[in-house]
């Protein structure tokens, strides 16, 4: 099993790259997110690898970070999600966006990825919803602070919870304020968090 490859990036294509490791060229499929993180040829890079062995081929899938590789493994555990679909999802959605979509049962966000229709999105939600919070980008799930209080404390508590999910304060704060204005006195921490996740995952 190959854990990683370290060598020269000698070729970049749509959906893959070629790494020269001691004179051997390895074709590595990757998401657009990983390919964008690699240096321009001919620069040296270290790529995490997931090896998939089939009857007719040994395929290498590369990742710039371990979080993406963990998500690849989880996504491909769902029936109907092959390596190509998983890479498409990882090209379209960040780990944080995947956590948000799964946590809020946001099927529309999942169907933004190529190859993911409504039926497959529903299966992904059903099988992975309870596991999403433990994945990278999830921060262990939404943690509602013990000090959560109604009224003026909702904004601060929502910001804290979203920070645990990996969202930056600068992007979360305007969304939370808008939702508090819209919901008015009826606003609760649960409703603000739920709607914030939906908005931030778009």
């Amino acid at each position: 099993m190959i854990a990683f490859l370290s060598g020269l990036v000698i070729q970049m294509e749509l959906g893959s790259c070629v790494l020269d490791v001691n004179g051997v060229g390895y074709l590595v499929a990757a998401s657009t997110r990983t390919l964008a993180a690699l240096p321009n040829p001919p620069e040296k890079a270290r790529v995490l690898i997931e090896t998939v062995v089939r009857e007719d081929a040994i395929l290498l899938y590369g990742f710039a970070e371990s979080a993406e590789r963990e998500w690849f493994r989880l996504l491909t555990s769902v029936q109907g999600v092959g390596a190509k679909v998983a890479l498409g999802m990882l090209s379209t959605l960040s780990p944080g966006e995947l956590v948000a979509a799964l946590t809020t049962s946001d099927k529309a966000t999942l169907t933004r990825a190529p190859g993911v229709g409504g039926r497959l999105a529903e299966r992904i939600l059903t099988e992975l919803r309870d596991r999403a919070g433990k994945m990278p980008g999830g921060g262990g799930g939404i943690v509602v602070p013990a000090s959560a209080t109604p009224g003026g404390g909702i904004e601060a508590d929502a910001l804290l919870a979203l920070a645990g999910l990996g969202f930056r304060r600068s992007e979360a704060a305007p969304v939370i304020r808008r939702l508090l204005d819209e919901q008015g006195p009826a606003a609760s921490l649960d409703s603000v968090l739920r709607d914030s996740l939906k908005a931030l995952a778009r």
Side-chain angles (χ1 to χ4, degrees):
M1 182 68 71
I2 299 173
F4 70 88
L5 291 173
S6 182
L8 291 177
V9 180
I10 61 171
Q11 186 177 333
M12 299 271 279
E13 298 178 354
L14 183 63
S16 67
C17 67
V18 176
L19 285 178
D20 180 343
V21 182
N22 297 325
V24 179
Y26 291 88
L27 178 63
V28 180
S31 69
T32 56
R33 198 178 302 277
T34 283
L35 292 174
L38 294 179
N40 293 325
E43 296 289 333
K44 191 171 183 180
R46 182 176 181 273
V47 181
L48 300 175
I49 297 294
E50 183 73 7
T51 307
V52 176
V53 179
R54 299 192 326 205
E55 289 184 4
D56 58 344
I58 297 176
L59 303 173
L60 303 179
Y61 298 93
F63 308 93
E65 56 183 29
S66 60
E68 194 181 38
R69 183 168 62 179
E70 288 185 48
W71 272 104
F72 178 84
R73 291 170 175 169
L74 183 65
L75 290 168
T76 53
S77 71
V78 178
Q79 183 181 0
V81 180
K84 183 177 181 180
V85 171
L87 286 182
M89 294 184 70
L90 292 169
S91 294
T92 306
L93 304 168
S94 69
E97 289 172 325
L98 282 168
V99 170
L102 292 170
T103 303
T104 60
S105 298
D106 187 353
K107 187 163 69 173
T109 292
L110 295 180
T111 56
R112 283 167 39 198
V116 180
R119 187 172 298 177
L120 182 55
E122 189 64 44
R123 186 182 302 143
I124 293 169
L125 287 173
T126 300
E127 295 190 22
L128 303 184
R129 183 184 295 114
D130 293 338
R131 300 165 67 183
K134 299 177 182 177
M135 292 296 292
I142 298 178
V143 178
V144 177
S147 61
T149 55
I154 292 177
E155 180 177 349
D157 292 331
L159 279 171
L160 187 61
L162 290 172
L165 286 173
F167 292 103
R168 294 188 301 273
R169 184 184 183 90
S170 59
E171 63 180 348
V175 174
I176 293 171
R177 291 192 193 103
R178 175 176 58 80
L179 290 170
L180 286 171
D181 289 341
E182 291 176 356
Q183 296 181 15
S188 67
L189 181 58
D190 286 344
S191 66
V192 170
L193 277 176
R194 182 180 62 249
D195 293 345
S196 293
L197 283 169
K198 289 181 180 178
L200 291 166
R202 288 173 187 163

